[in-house]
Amino acid sequence: MASGFFAILDDVAALLDDVAAMSKIATKKTAGILGDDLAVNAEKASGFVSKRELPVLWAITKGSLLNKIIILPIAFLLSAFLPWAVTLVLVLGGIYLAFEGAEKIHEFFVPHEHAHIAAEAKPMTKKEILELEKTKVKSAIVTDFILSIEIVIIALGAVIKEPLVTQIAVVSVVALLATVGVYGIVALIVRMDEFGTRLINLNEEENSISDKIGHFFVNALPKVIKALSVIGTIALLLVSGGIFVHNIDFFHYLLPSVPSIIVEFVVGLVVGFIALLLFNGIKKLFKKKE
């Protein structure tokens, strides 16, 4: 009886070791998406009234957890009954990531024209502010849903050859870490300016150490968000290129003597701009028919 009990404990310990080891691998593979997720959510969670930033971020976090609860069972069912569909979804997700990365680069060099409507600035009512918050929260949750699909599928792709129990444990751990880690860091980022302001107001002395540190945090916030956006764009292309290189033989053996990181970036960039050209071409075609 005792020996059977200890044998079960050994099996559980071995499973936990496997889960820990595979979780590290899966987390590394999703790091690029997490970087983009962080950049996108830091941008979407900023710009609110100071006292509303954390409540809004908490609402987005709850939406993100709900997204994962919806996506995870579907992903595990695909893995169990249609494993080839995981690779297909992974490649399609890679095309989307590459498209998104290429679109960001295109927008940087060829900015879109936005219609400017002259209007008198009127103070918003409390009801209008809450409605605007709801709209932004919904938009952030939709974006998170797309990114969550990519995170879950990439993590699942990293452990697709493992037993189903290991897949469920590893992907669930990665999904939870993605939510807690990303939104925890976003909370720290969006409160940088508030923290800086408190340091500035700490005393009435001018040019004190607290003033200098406070001004540093206040001025750093927009730069941090911009830097995250650039890093996220590069990560998008690297992750998408990695998906193509590791799942499509043509790309895998394309340039064997060139470092893999360069190949992955170039492949992601090329596929992204092809997808962008096709998207813009189809959009123009539909506009002509209207």
Side-chain angles (χ1 to χ4, degrees):
M1 236 359 227
S3 61
F5 176 72
F6 285 117
I8 292 171
L9 285 181
D10 284 341
D11 290 341
V12 171
L15 176 62
L16 291 175
D17 284 342
D18 289 343
V19 169
M22 295 306 298
S23 295
K24 287 181 182 179
I25 295 169
T27 303
K28 284 180 181 177
K29 288 184 177 290
T30 59
I33 304 296
L34 295 178
D36 185 63
D37 201 4
L38 179 61
V40 169
N41 286 298
E43 190 174 358
K44 286 185 177 290
S46 59
F48 294 97
V49 177
S50 180
K51 65 180 180 180
R52 294 296 303 160
E53 282 178 341
L54 290 182
V56 166
L57 191 56
W58 174 235
I60 298 171
T61 304
K62 289 189 288 185
S64 177
L65 287 170
L66 181 61
N67 286 340
K68 306 292 193 305
I69 290 170
I70 294 168
I71 294 164
L72 284 170
I74 297 171
F76 296 139
L77 286 171
L78 286 177
S79 176
F81 299 106
L82 295 170
W84 58 267
V86 175
T87 304
L88 177 62
V89 173
L90 195 61
V91 171
L92 290 174
I95 294 171
Y96 172 79
L97 290 175
F99 164 79
E100 198 177 48
E103 188 179 40
K104 286 182 179 181
I105 292 172
H106 181 258
E107 283 183 1
F108 179 78
F109 289 104
V110 187
H112 296 332
E113 291 183 4
H114 299 284
H116 178 70
I117 301 171
E120 291 182 7
K122 295 180 181 178
M124 296 178 69
T125 63
K126 186 177 179 180
K127 186 178 179 181
E128 287 173 335
I129 291 170
L130 290 174
E131 284 299 320
L132 180 62
E133 281 186 9
K134 284 182 182 178
T135 303
K136 286 192 172 186
V137 167
K138 284 180 182 178
S139 173
I141 291 172
V142 170
T143 302
D144 177 272
F145 186 81
I146 296 167
L147 291 169
S148 293
I149 291 174
E150 294 156 2
I151 289 166
V152 168
I153 292 299
I154 290 172
L156 188 58
V159 293
I160 194 68
K161 294 180 181 178
E162 300 297 320
L164 186 60
V165 175
T166 304
Q167 290 181 27
I168 292 172
V170 169
V171 179
S172 298
V173 167
V174 171
L176 184 61
L177 285 175
T179 304
V180 174
V182 166
Y183 288 101
I185 295 171
V186 168
L188 292 174
I189 290 172
V190 299
R191 300 299 288 177
M192 278 176 63
D193 55 347
E194 177 67 18
F195 178 65
T197 302
R198 289 192 179 188
L199 286 176
I200 294 168
N201 296 331
L202 196 61
N203 56 64
E204 295 181 358
E205 295 178 17
E206 290 186 7
N207 207 28
S208 63
I209 293 175
S210 62
D211 282 354
K212 290 177 181 178
I213 297 173
H215 284 297
F216 170 78
F217 279 114
V218 170
N219 296 328
L221 178 59
K223 293 176 183 177
V224 168
I225 292 176
K226 191 172 183 179
L228 283 172
S229 181
V230 173
I231 293 167
T233 301
I234 295 169
L236 282 173
L237 297 172
L238 283 172
V239 171
S240 60
I243 290 171
F244 303 136
V245 168
H246 295 297
N247 290 280
I248 301 173
D249 289 338
F250 172 76
F251 293 120
H252 187 70
Y253 300 105
L254 188 61
L255 297 167
S257 59
V258 178
S260 59
I261 190 169
I262 295 174
V263 175
E264 289 170 7
F265 181 81
V266 171
V267 169
L269 189 65
V270 171
V271 172
F273 272 103
I274 291 171
L276 182 62
L277 286 170
L278 288 172
F279 175 78
N280 288 337
I282 293 168
K283 193 163 68 170
K284 286 179 180 178
L285 190 64
F286 276 103
K287 278 186 178 179
K288 285 182 181 179
K289 288 184 179 181
E290 290 177 357

